[in-house]
């Protein structure tokens, strides 16, 4: 397949040659998920991964299993080499279109977040669609959050500073669980961290129209993810956070979006709606970058962005 040549000027430009090369490689090599079964997609994604290197080093990185709403729920707890007071706790949902990815796919990302923020990170291996359609993943994240509130202290965490976080589909789960916690009586959480979140299934937004083809995370792929995750429709606040009548009273938010990402417009609009409903929001849109870029540590642009994002998260979580 011939690699795409991305524009270097004008809106949507990819001015960084390293980023352009990575995006072209992803566009050429990412599986056409809409033509595959879920098991095939998972196998294809796993085959593309580099061998797992458990870096950066942690004081503790422990796999454990808790009782979840659908049975045993695996977690991975990352505790960085930070001394002193109890650390904030981040309960993290990985991306993967609700269909693929796992604890290993985001191991490096969670370690980087633990070190960069100075936090205990609890990564959740929630149930995947289509075998477990919505709201299974949402329910698993809610159970993990409640477990963290009662148990994070055993890992050096501060139960008064618990945040929800997720990238892509995981950003959706973080947003919907934040609403469920507000409406369901707790536990209180300190922040929601939404990284290029999949907010809804509106495929008519500006970013879908401009970047829904040729930027590897395509409109057809996003439709397939939603069809697998929500076969019975999306008229449910547990699936689509914008179904909430109000976002008032939600915890402070960090919202990160990427210009070349089809869900970008929805993420930007959600940040604006949060702010309009009185929620403190730190919103950073990365122009010239694409869906998933923060999980690619080899990119120089990723390292710069991570430094900025971790600083925003530290700021919203506040001092001990």
């Amino acid at each position: 397949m011939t690699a795409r040549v991305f524009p270097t000027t004008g809106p949507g430009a990819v001015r960084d040659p390293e980023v352009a090369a990575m995006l072209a490689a992803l566009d050429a090599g990412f599986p056409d998920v809409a033509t595959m079964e879920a098991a095939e997609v998972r196998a294809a994604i796993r085959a593309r991964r580099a061998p797992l290197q458990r870096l950066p080093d942690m004081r503790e990185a422990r796999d454990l299993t808790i009782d979840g709403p659908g049975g045993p729920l695996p977690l991975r707890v990352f505790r960085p080499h930070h001394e002193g007071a109890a650390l904030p706790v981040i309960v993290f949902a990985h991306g993967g279109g609700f269909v693929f990815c796992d604890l290993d796919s985001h191991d490096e990302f969670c370690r980087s977040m633990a070190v960069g923020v100075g936090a205990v990170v609890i990564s959740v291996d929630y149930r995947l669609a289509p075998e477990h359609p919505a709201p299974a993943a949402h329910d698993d994240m809610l159970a993990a959050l409640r477990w963290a509130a009662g148990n994070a202290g055993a890992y050096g965490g501060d139960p008064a500073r618990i945040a929800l976080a997720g990238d892509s589909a995981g950003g959706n789960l973080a947003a919907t669980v934040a609403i469920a916690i507000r409406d369901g009586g707790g536990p209180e959480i300190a922040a929601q961290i939404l990284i290029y979140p999949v907010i809804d299934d509106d495929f008519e937004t500006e970013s879908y129209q401009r970047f829904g083809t040729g930027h590897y995370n395509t409109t057809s792929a996003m439709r397939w993810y939603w069809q697998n995750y929500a076969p019975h429709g999306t008229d449910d606040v547990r699936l689509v956070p914008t179904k909430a009548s109000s976002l008032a009273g939600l915890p402070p938010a960090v919202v990160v979006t990427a210009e070349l990402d089809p869900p970008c417009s929805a993420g930007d609009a959600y940040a604006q709606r949060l702010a309009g409903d009185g929620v403190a929001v730190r919103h950073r849109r990365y122009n010239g970058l694409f869906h998933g870029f923060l999980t690619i540590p080899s990119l120089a642009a990723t390292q710069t962005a991570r430094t900025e994002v971790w600083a925003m998260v530290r700021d919203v979580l506040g001092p001990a």
Side-chain angles (χ1 to χ4, degrees):
M1 181 182 293
T2 302
R4 277 174 51 84
V5 177
F6 293 92
T8 57
T9 59
V14 185
R15 296 180 178 85
D16 184 330
E18 184 188 27
V19 171
M22 178 62 72
L23 184 51
L26 287 168
D27 186 41
F30 199 79
D32 184 2
V33 300
T35 66
M36 304 167 71
E37 297 294 328
E40 295 178 294
V41 172
R42 292 170 195 150
I45 296 297
R46 282 195 298 268
R48 289 172 54 88
R49 288 186 200 161
L52 181 63
Q53 296 183 340
R54 298 187 183 276
L55 296 171
D57 181 55
M58 296 282 107
R59 168 180 288 185
E60 182 176 18
R62 176 180 298 185
D63 287 357
L64 58 119
T65 301
I66 66 172
D67 291 331
L73 179 58
L75 310 176
R76 184 168 293 166
V77 182
F78 301 92
R79 183 181 181 187
H81 292 284
H82 282 62
E83 303 295 337
L87 301 177
V89 179
I90 300 173
V91 181
F92 177 77
H94 64 74
F98 309 104
V99 175
F100 58 90
C101 286
D102 52 33
L103 298 177
D104 286 349
S105 66
H106 285 65
D107 186 271
E108 185 277 336
F109 181 77
C110 288
R111 289 167 181 263
S112 174
M113 181 162 50
V115 172
V117 175
V120 174
V121 175
I122 302 173
S123 185
V124 184
D125 199 13
Y126 57 82
R127 288 171 289 169
L128 298 175
E131 295 90 343
H132 304 284
H138 167 97
D139 293 346
D140 284 353
M141 287 301 301
L142 184 56
L145 177 71
R146 287 176 169 154
W147 178 89
N151 294 274
Y155 300 92
D158 180 357
R161 290 189 296 157
I162 296 181
L164 280 161
D167 73 317
S168 188
N172 171 286
L173 298 175
T176 59
V177 171
I179 293 170
I181 288 294
R182 178 198 65 179
D183 297 345
E188 185 174 349
I189 57 176
Q192 53 181 323
I193 303 155
L194 315 180
I195 299 174
Y196 29 78
V198 177
I199 289 297
D200 58 32
D201 58 345
D202 180 0
F203 305 110
E204 304 303 321
T205 64
E206 179 187 8
S207 55
Y208 267 104
Q209 297 306 306
R210 295 182 61 199
F211 305 116
T213 59
H215 292 77
Y216 107 85
N217 184 38
T218 63
T219 300
S220 62
M222 291 300 303
R223 289 184 184 275
W224 184 84
Y225 298 142
W226 276 107
Q227 289 163 2
N228 279 277
Y229 180 57
H232 305 299
T234 56
D235 191 19
D236 189 329
V237 71
R238 294 174 297 174
L239 280 66
V240 175
T242 54
K243 299 294 183 182
S245 59
S246 172
L247 303 181
L250 288 175
V254 172
V255 182
V256 176
T257 56
E259 179 192 15
L260 310 182
D261 180 18
C264 180
S265 294
D268 291 345
Y270 194 66
Q272 293 167 5
R273 184 178 165 193
L274 283 164
D277 282 354
V279 178
V281 179
R282 293 157 178 81
H283 176 209
R284 179 69 159 88
R285 176 175 175 170
Y286 284 92
N287 291 331
L289 286 168
F290 53 88
H291 191 83
F293 79 94
L294 279 171
T295 60
I296 304 177
S298 61
L299 286 175
T302 293
Q303 296 303 329
T304 300
R306 282 186 179 183
T307 298
E308 295 172 347
V309 173
W310 303 157
M312 286 193 292
V313 175
R314 290 196 306 272
D315 184 40
V316 74
L317 287 174

